[in-house]
């Protein structure tokens, strides 16, 4: 057993040995198991090291320096052992990985992950079930179904709802728009797009969403062959939420021009401001004009966990379909997302059959197959197990408290930024996003956009604080996305101090002092 150390590649050496089948199997099993345990333990130690030693959200390495590290990598020649492998992957990746778990990381929509989900990941990849059919994932099929049912319940759907786990919000949004389009054509034009392709007037189909809706919707409209021209962007209110009266006007205007409204996408939690479109008003309009309503709750879905703030999602239960990203707001590792429909019969519209996988004549009540609900993936990871571990061990309530804490910290931060003469805040947030900028403290030739760009870049390459940015009305703004319940108002205060320091430095160097 001397050989089965960390550096063992025992399993791959086996075929060279001459043995009868029984012995071979035994040894193969033992050798594999030993290597497995050692490899997984060593990998877990790498993660522990990352968590223990990482003090800043980013190492600050420049792309050219990092790229140079790849110069001597020869993919044709494998490394001799796990030790060398971990050394290499540390140099190339781990030590420069962005640390989403640190409170000073408040840039993009990346949540810190909960440990039960990580334990599930070990099982998911090793057993490697594929969620397409019962014969590839028996218990996995029912775990996924229960979680979809549970999520539907949180939304407020009846037992008629259904859905499927997807690879992300962009995919879920695609399913929403695709169903909306195909449903419209089937119901009102008696035209089956799945079989026949677009009807002649498809170039007049219109989908309404706010100016702040996620850009995956544009990409999806292009993918679907409707083109970005199919998207009608509706103006927003002072918190960058869709203005319902502008929505109604836009629908009437498009109809008057001979175009064909088919769907509305409401955003529950905009990527830039974390605010929620008026769901109930939008649902009324959708009903009035007989339009499919899709709610993109990729970000705002976390409110489903909260007792305190759940009311902000009121009206989501009226949507025909919903996008949920557990990997944004349920503290789940990437990927973990879902697409839900209010009426499960609607999923039949997109069903395709393959003789080798899900033959048409099969009784799917008898022998279920999740593939029937998935249009964007066939082989599909058992991501649902992560959420299962999380709910069964931590429970909804604890996750809800995390969510509340994030929202409360964000509101305190908003008040702090608003009260300071150094900053301009654009909007308060229903969730955890704040868009603001540092203002020049002295009159005299300072380019505010360039200054804020400098602040962001300097903090990034110092690795001390990671914030995001966006543009509003052509102006550059800094953006906090707070998704970590461990980020406190004290951290925010420190981060604002760092921002002020870099802002002042910039001003000192670029300020044109008045002659005197
Ligand atoms: C992140 C996001 C998406 C896209 O989700 P992915 O999981 O990144 O594909 C869609 N909509 C909104 C509002 C988002 O914030």
């Amino acid at each position: 057993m001397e050989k089965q150390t960390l550096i063992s590649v025992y399993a791959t050496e086996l075929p060279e040995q001459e043995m009868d089948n029984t012995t071979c199997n035994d040894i193969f099993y033992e050798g594999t198991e030993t290597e497995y345990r050692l490899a997984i333990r060593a990998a877990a130690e790498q993660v522990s090291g990352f968590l223990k030693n990482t003090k800043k959200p980013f190492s600050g390495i420049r792309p050219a320096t990092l790229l140079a590290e790849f110069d001597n990598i020869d993919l044709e020649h494998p490394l001799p052992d796990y030790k060398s492998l971990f050394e290499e992957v540390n140099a190339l990746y781990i030590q420069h990985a962005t640390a989403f778990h640190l409170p000073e990381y408040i840039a993009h929509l990346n949540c810190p992950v909960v440990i039960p989900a990580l334990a599930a990941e070990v099982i998911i990849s090793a057993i490697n079930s594929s969620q397409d059919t019962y014969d590839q994932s028996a218990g996995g099929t029912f775990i996924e179904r229960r979680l979809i049912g549970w999520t539907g319940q949180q939304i407020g759907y009846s037992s008629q709802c259904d859905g499927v786990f997807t690879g992300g919000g962009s995919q879920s949004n695609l399913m929403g728009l695709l169903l909306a389009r195909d449903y419209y054509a089937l119901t009102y034009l008696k035209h089956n797009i799945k079989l026949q392709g677009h009807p002649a007037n498809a170039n007049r189909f219109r989908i309404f969403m706010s100016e702040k809706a996620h850009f995956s919707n544009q990409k999806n409209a292009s993918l679907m062959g409707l083109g970005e021209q199919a998207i009608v962007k509706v103006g927003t209110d002072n918190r960058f939420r869709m203005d319902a009266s502008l929505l109604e006007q836009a629908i009437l205007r498009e109809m008057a021009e001979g175009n064909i409204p088919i769907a509305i996408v409401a955003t529950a939690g905009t990527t830039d401001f974390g605010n929620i479109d008026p769901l109930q008003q939008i649902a009324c309009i959708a009903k009035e004009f007989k339009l499919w309503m899709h709610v993109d709750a990729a970000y705002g879905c976390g409110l489903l966990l909260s007792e305190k703030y759940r009311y902000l999602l009121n009206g989501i239960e009226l949507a025909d379909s919903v996008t949920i990203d557990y990997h944004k707001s349920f503290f789940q590792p990437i990927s973990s997302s879902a697409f839900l429909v209010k009426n499960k019969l609607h999923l039949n519209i997109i069903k395709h059959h393959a003789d080798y996988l899900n033959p048409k004549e099969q009784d799917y009540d008898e022998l279920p197959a999740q593939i029937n609900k998935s249009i964007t993936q066939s082989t599909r990871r058992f991501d649902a197990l992560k959420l299962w571990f999380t709910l069964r061990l931590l429970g909804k309530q604890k996750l809800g408290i995390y969510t509340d804490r994030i929202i409360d910290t964000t509101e305190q931060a908003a008040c702090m930024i608003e009260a300071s003469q150094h900053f301009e805040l654009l909007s308060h947030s229903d969730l955890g996003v704040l868009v603001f900028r540092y203002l020049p403290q002295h009159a005299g030739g300072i380019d505010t956009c360039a200054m804020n760009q400098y602040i962001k870049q300097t903090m990034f390459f110092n690795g001390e604080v990671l914030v995001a940015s966006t543009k509003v009305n052509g102006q550059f703004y800094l953006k906090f996305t707070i998704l970590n319940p461990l980020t406190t108002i004290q951290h925010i205060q420190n981060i604002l101090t760092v921002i002020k320091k870099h802002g002042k430095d910039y001003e000192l160097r670029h300020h044109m002092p008045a002659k005197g």
Side-chain angles (χ1 to χ4, degrees):
M1 297 311 261
E2 181 75 329
K3 215 165 171 219
Q4 287 160 19
T5 61
L6 183 63
I7 60 165
S8 168
V9 281
Y10 197 84
T12 51
E13 282 172 10
L14 253 177
E16 293 170 11
Q17 308 195 7
E18 280 178 28
M19 285 176 211
D20 69 76
N21 274 341
T22 359
T23 338
C24 182
N25 278 342
D26 285 351
I27 291 177
F28 183 80
Y29 175 73
E30 274 176 29
T32 307
E33 196 200 7
T34 308
E35 180 177 350
Y36 173 76
R37 283 174 192 272
L38 291 170
I40 295 297
R41 196 180 305 150
E45 271 161 26
Q46 295 299 313
V47 176
S48 294
F50 175 69
L51 295 176
K52 217 183 298 170
N53 304 329
T54 309
K55 306 281 186 238
K56 301 194 297 182
F58 181 49
S59 71
I61 196 166
R62 302 267 166 179
T65 318
L66 186 54
L67 187 59
E69 294 277 332
F70 285 79
D71 283 350
N72 295 321
I73 306 280
D74 179 0
L75 290 180
E76 301 294 317
H77 290 95
L79 295 165
D81 49 39
Y82 278 103
K83 187 166 175 288
S84 327
L85 173 61
F86 282 124
E87 277 167 15
E88 182 180 282
V89 85
N90 247 304
L92 299 179
Y93 168 63
I94 297 178
Q95 61 166 313
H96 305 299
T98 307
F100 298 153
H101 64 284
L102 291 181
E104 293 82 10
Y105 178 83
I106 47 172
H108 300 285
L109 276 165
N110 304 108
C111 57
V113 294
V114 290
I115 292 173
L118 300 181
E121 278 284 13
V122 176
I123 295 175
I124 293 165
S125 54
I127 296 181
N128 206 22
S129 298
S130 180
Q131 290 294 88
D132 19 7
T133 52
Y134 187 82
D135 68 349
Q136 297 175 73
S137 189
T141 298
F142 292 118
I143 285 180
E144 175 170 352
R145 288 186 165 201
R146 277 296 288 273
L147 288 173
I148 289 291
W150 176 82
T151 306
Q153 233 171 9
Q154 308 308 308
I155 288 171
Y157 279 162
S158 76
S159 59
Q160 287 311 297
C161 76
D162 202 356
V164 68
F165 272 63
T166 69
S170 306
Q171 274 183 359
S172 298
N173 282 343
L174 174 62
M175 289 189 71
L177 289 191
L178 199 83
L179 267 191
R181 179 196 63 179
D182 289 22
Y183 171 80
Y184 179 87
L186 266 185
T187 312
Y188 301 107
L189 309 175
K190 307 294 172 227
H191 180 100
N192 187 327
I193 293 183
K194 183 179 79 172
L195 301 178
Q196 302 165 272
H198 276 159
N201 56 359
N203 65 332
R204 292 192 168 272
F205 286 0
R206 292 294 178 268
I207 302 161
F208 299 78
M209 61 192 67
S210 93
E211 286 163 354
K212 295 295 170 201
H214 194 258
F215 81 128
S216 58
N217 292 301
Q218 263 115 299
K219 295 206 264 184
N220 291 335
S222 307
L223 264 174
M224 285 160 58
L226 293 173
E228 290 189 21
Q229 57 105 29
I231 292 191
V232 179
K233 290 197 176 170
V234 178
T236 54
D237 66 9
N238 61 350
R239 287 183 66 159
F240 305 92
R241 297 171 296 205
M242 190 193 284
D243 181 323
S245 58
L246 291 180
L247 169 65
E248 192 159 10
Q249 286 170 27
I251 294 170
L252 291 169
R253 188 188 63 230
E254 292 296 326
M255 286 164 66
E257 287 172 10
N259 291 324
I260 307 168
I262 61 169
I264 305 170
V265 177
T267 310
T270 50
T271 316
D272 261 0
F273 292 94
N275 285 331
I276 296 161
D277 288 346
L279 302 177
Q280 280 161 324
Q281 289 176 45
I282 293 171
C284 284
I285 294 171
K287 194 170 171 202
E288 183 188 341
F289 292 97
K290 294 199 174 68
L291 302 179
W292 186 281
M293 177 177 172
H294 176 72
V295 172
D296 177 0
Y299 175 24
C301 60
L303 294 170
L304 295 173
L305 301 163
S306 165
E307 269 183 48
K308 198 168 159 193
Y309 297 112
R310 169 61 181 80
Y311 72 93
L312 290 167
L313 288 180
N314 286 351
I316 192 173
E317 72 283 357
L318 302 168
D320 295 289
S321 56
V322 176
T323 289
I324 300 281
D325 258 2
Y326 307 108
H327 65 213
K328 294 265 182 75
S329 293
F330 276 59
F331 311 101
Q332 296 299 295
I334 305 160
S335 301
S336 182
S337 298
F339 172 73
L340 282 99
V341 278
K342 181 163 61 183
N343 179 350
K344 61 181 168 199
L345 296 178
H346 287 152
L347 281 176
N348 289 333
I349 298 174
I350 50 162
K351 201 188 290 180
H352 289 262
H353 291 284
D355 289 337
Y356 59 86
L357 202 61
N358 58 340
K360 201 165 186 174
E361 63 281 5
Q362 186 171 316
D363 178 348
Y364 289 98
D365 290 328
E366 186 96 339
L367 196 57
Q370 294 296 92
I371 184 77
N372 289 335
K373 307 173 191 183
S374 171
I375 45 167
T376 49
Q377 290 169 285
S378 300
T379 305
R380 192 161 53 86
R381 274 170 64 82
F382 181 25
D383 286 317
L385 190 65
K386 292 180 279 193
L387 182 60
W388 187 270
F389 267 50
T390 305
L391 281 182
R392 299 302 289 147
L393 209 57
L394 282 176
K396 172 187 166 184
Q397 206 186 10
K398 201 168 270 174
L399 298 177
I401 290 168
Y402 294 169
T403 303
D404 293 346
R405 198 175 298 166
I406 290 166
I407 294 173
D408 293 340
T409 303
T410 307
E411 181 54 21
Q412 281 177 282
C415 294
M416 190 180 276
I417 294 170
E418 213 168 30
S420 166
Q421 89 226 15
H422 292 92
F423 300 110
E424 174 199 5
L425 176 75
L426 284 191
S427 167
H428 284 248
S429 180
D430 291 332
L431 296 160
V433 198
L434 299 174
V435 175
F436 68 100
R437 59 183 177 172
Y438 180 76
L439 296 172
Q441 298 301 300
H442 309 279
I446 295 287
D447 176 341
T448 309
C449 288
M451 177 170 63
N452 281 278
Q453 238 151 4
Y454 167 85
I455 293 170
K456 183 193 167 195
Q457 284 297 92
T458 307
M459 294 195 302
F460 178 72
F461 284 116
N462 285 347
E464 50 188 340
V465 171
L466 264 61
V467 305
S469 59
T470 192
K471 276 190 196 147
V472 180
N473 299 325
Q475 300 288 302
F476 183 91
Y477 283 87
L478 301 174
K479 176 168 126 177
F480 285 172
T481 309
I482 303 171
L483 267 183
N484 189 344
L486 298 177
T487 299
T488 63
I489 192 64
Q490 190 58 51
H491 291 113
I492 299 291
Q493 194 161 24
N494 296 344
I495 291 166
L496 291 172
T497 305
V498 174
I499 292 174
K500 278 192 267 189
K501 177 174 120 15
H502 292 307
K504 277 180 192 147
D505 285 352
Y506 184 91
E507 276 196 278
L508 272 177
R509 274 187 279 130
H510 293 80
H511 181 57
M512 315 279 183
K515 286 245 162 77

